[in-house]
Amino acid sequence: MPVPVVLREAWTTLVPDMNDRHGPLPPLMLALTVVTGLVDAVSYLQLGRVFVANMTGNVVFSGFAFAGAPGFSLAASLVALGAFAAGALAGGLIVHHSHAHRGRMLLHALYVETLCVLAALIVTLISGSPYDGGVRFALIVLLALGLGMQNAVSRALAVPDLTTTVLTLTITGIASDGRLAGGGGSRAGRRTLSAAAMLVGALVGAVAVLHGHPTLPLILAVAILAVVCLAAQVLARAVGPWTLPVVKK
């Protein structure tokens, strides 16, 4: 795909047309993708090979643990899966009771997610690292609940290529939908931004953890969520073509 096209797609994702079907939602989804990278850096590097946002990894880790592979905790993976599912259930309840307004849907889910991540941050500040025993599982539950909520609302918002958690299909689309493969266009600009957002979150989170600042990733995650909450408060009162729910065929 020509570079100007990719750059234009990236620009319109960062600075969207307010009259577009998804209006101001794309940059907010990118911000939440950064949050995903931050919290998964915390969970994997500090809570013992477990993810709180990317559940595919926990299913694989559960298989490794069943096989007796060292360093993998079946209990941690299952707790993360259960808490994430509970968060997704709560997110589904919010989605279906938001009166079909996508701004309110996002705002209500973000309130709960922000409280979950803030509670996790408070636990880390009180307990101090390393996080083990009951503290470890409390952090897994709180973070997985929040990210399950985020995943449920991002699925309902259905902004193309901005799921905030899963990148496998996004990266597949860059290659398989391009003209080189005979497709009509890979939307590489937006998809690359999505991958870059998670990469940045994971990189910043990992650097902070590895250099002795274990609480910094959660502080950053709470700060980003607070900003997105403020934006969502404005969107919850807005009226536009993007506020209507996506009709799934």
Side-chain angles (χ1 to χ4, degrees):
M1 178 176 288
V3 172
V5 175
V6 174
L7 293 177
R8 185 168 63 249
E9 289 174 351
W11 177 255
T12 56
T13 299
L14 292 170
V15 186
D17 180 357
M18 293 298 287
N19 293 316
D20 180 72
R21 177 68 188 87
H22 299 289
L25 294 174
L28 300 184
M29 296 297 101
L30 284 175
L32 294 179
T33 306
V34 175
V35 170
T36 296
L38 288 167
V39 297
D40 263 347
V42 171
S43 66
Y44 190 87
L45 296 176
Q46 297 190 91
L47 304 181
R49 291 188 178 180
V50 63
F51 289 119
V52 292
N54 290 288
M55 291 299 110
T56 302
N58 289 327
V59 173
V60 174
F61 292 165
S62 296
F64 293 166
F66 273 121
F72 294 94
S73 168
L74 179 60
S77 293
L78 293 180
V79 166
L81 285 164
F84 186 90
L89 174 62
L93 291 172
I94 287 175
V95 165
H96 298 302
H97 289 82
S98 294
H99 306 294
H101 189 292
R102 295 165 89 202
R104 287 194 291 270
M105 183 189 304
L106 176 62
L107 177 62
H108 297 160
L110 281 174
Y111 279 155
V112 180
E113 179 182 1
T114 303
L115 285 174
C116 287
V117 179
L118 179 60
L121 172 60
I122 292 171
V123 170
T124 65
L125 292 172
I126 292 174
S127 67
S129 62
Y131 312 125
D132 49 24
V135 170
R136 177 195 184 199
F137 282 99
L139 291 173
I140 290 172
V141 168
L142 287 169
L143 293 174
L145 276 170
L147 272 294
M149 180 80 62
Q150 176 180 304
N151 206 60
V153 75
S154 66
R155 182 176 183 273
L157 293 174
V159 181
D161 303 310
L162 295 174
T163 64
T164 78
T165 52
V166 181
L167 290 180
T168 303
L169 291 178
T170 301
I171 295 171
T172 300
I174 293 175
S176 65
D177 293 344
R179 290 186 172 84
L180 188 62
S186 64
R187 298 196 298 275
R190 170 171 290 191
R191 288 168 171 169
T192 301
L193 273 180
S194 180
M198 193 176 295
L199 174 64
V200 167
L203 173 62
V204 171
V207 168
V209 169
L210 295 176
H211 289 81
H213 303 284
T215 62
L216 182 57
L218 293 184
I219 292 173
L220 292 174
V222 170
I224 293 171
L225 287 169
V227 172
V228 179
C229 273
L230 290 175
Q233 286 180 341
V234 176
L235 301 186
R237 297 189 294 270
V239 177
W242 57 271
T243 63
L244 299 175
V246 174
V247 178
K248 296 181 180 180
K249 299 180 180 178

